[in-house]
Each structure stands twice: as structure tokens, then as C-alpha cells.
């Protein structure tokens, strides 16, 4: 229901906008004729917490210049999570991630983070603001 309302609001603001939501991981959908999206958004994704991200990140990261990759926006709950995710990206695409221009939005606090602090249900047993940190890498 929430996605439907978001899509309706987006279309009301920008009638030429097409919003497609495909459930599941990106890597199985990638070869299914859906094409390369204009943007992939991963909100509070937890790359380090979920093994499933491994194959998906491989499909999302620009590697081979002949294989198109979409731009990807990623948010994180905490600064230390984002720093660890940046280290992970530098290991997965070391030659590309260190180049100027790899990040369209460099790792930083998100000016549009949720103003509502939420208690955590993770192993950290603390609290966080949704989407507190943001980064975005360019596609190919």
C-alpha cells in the first residue's frame, strides 16, 4: 500500500515519470529482459548483514565497461555501517571506486534522513534514524 501511494504521489508531481517496483534481488531480474533501470535505490540495505547482497552487488557495480550498470543510491542507519560499506565497495571494485567521479553522491550524512529516532532490533541494540547516511555511485 505504501509503495502504491508513493507511486501515485510521484506521478502527480511528474506525470512523465514511470516507477517500476520489482520485488526480490536485482541479479535474477537483470537478465530477464527488464533492461537497465535508471536508478536502483537500496534504503537501509545492510550490505554487511545479509549474504544475499553479494551476488546482487556484483550485478550492480560497474565493472566491465561493456556491461551496463545502473546508478545506485544506498542509505545506511549509522556512520560506521556506511564506512564499512565503502570499504566493501573498494574491495569489490578497487580500480573503479578510487577514481574521481565514481561516487555521484559521496558518502555523507543524509540531509533528508528521517527525523524520527527508532529503537533498533538488530544486534547493535541501540537506535537510529532511518536513512541517516547516503551515497550513490554512477552506473556505466
Amino acid at each position: 500500500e505504501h509503495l502504491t501511494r508513493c507511486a501515485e504521489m510521484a506521478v502527480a508531481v511528474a506525470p512523465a515519470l514511470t516507477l517500476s517496483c520489482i520485488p526480490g534481488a536485482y541479479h535474477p531480474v537483470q537478465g530477464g529482459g527488464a533492461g537497465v533501470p535508471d536508478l536502483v535505490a537500496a534504503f537501509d540495505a545492510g550490505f554487511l548483514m545479509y549474504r544475499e547482497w553479494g551476488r546482487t552487488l556484483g550485478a550492480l557495480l560497474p565493472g566491465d565497461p561493456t556491461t551496463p550498470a545502473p546508478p545506485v543510491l544506498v542509505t545506511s542507519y549509522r556512520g560506521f555501517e556506511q564506512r564499512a560499506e565503502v570499504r566493501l565497495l573498494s574491495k569489490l571494485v578497487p580500480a573503479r571506486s578510487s577514481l574521481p567521479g565514481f561516487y555521484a553522491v559521496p558518502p555523507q550524512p543524509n540531509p533528508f534522513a528521517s527525523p524520527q529516532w527508532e529503537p533498533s532490533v538488530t544486534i547493535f541494540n541501540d537506535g537510529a534514524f532511518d536513512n541517516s547516511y547516503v551515497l550513490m555511485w554512477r552506473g556505466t
Side-chain angles (χ1 to χ4, degrees), residues 18-78:
T18 301
L19 180 64
S20 299
C21 298
I22 301 171
Y26 177 76
H27 63 273
V29 175
Q30 179 191 25
V36 177
D38 294 323
L39 175 70
V40 170
F43 299 108
D44 295 331
F47 291 162
L48 304 174
M49 297 291 291
Y50 303 100
R51 290 180 158 205
E52 297 85 1
W53 274 110
R55 288 182 55 208
T56 297
L57 282 172
L60 289 173
L61 287 163
D64 176 5
T66 63
T67 305
V72 180
L73 176 101
V74 179
T75 65
S76 307
Y77 284 109
R78 299 166 188 82

Side-chain angles (χ1 to χ4, degrees), residues 19-20 22 25-26 45 65 85 93 95 103 107 114-115 125 128-129 132-133 137:
L19 180 64
S20 299
I22 301 171
Y26 177 76
E85 290 167 351
V93 285
Y103 290 108
S114 171
N125 197 26
F129 297 92
S132 290
Y133 293 84
W137 65 81

Side-chain angles (χ1 to χ4, degrees), residues 48-50 78 80-81 120-127:
L48 304 174
M49 297 291 291
Y50 303 100
R78 299 166 188 82
F80 71 83
E81 287 177 89
S120 174
V121 294
T122 67
I123 60 172
F124 301 113
N125 197 26
D126 61 356

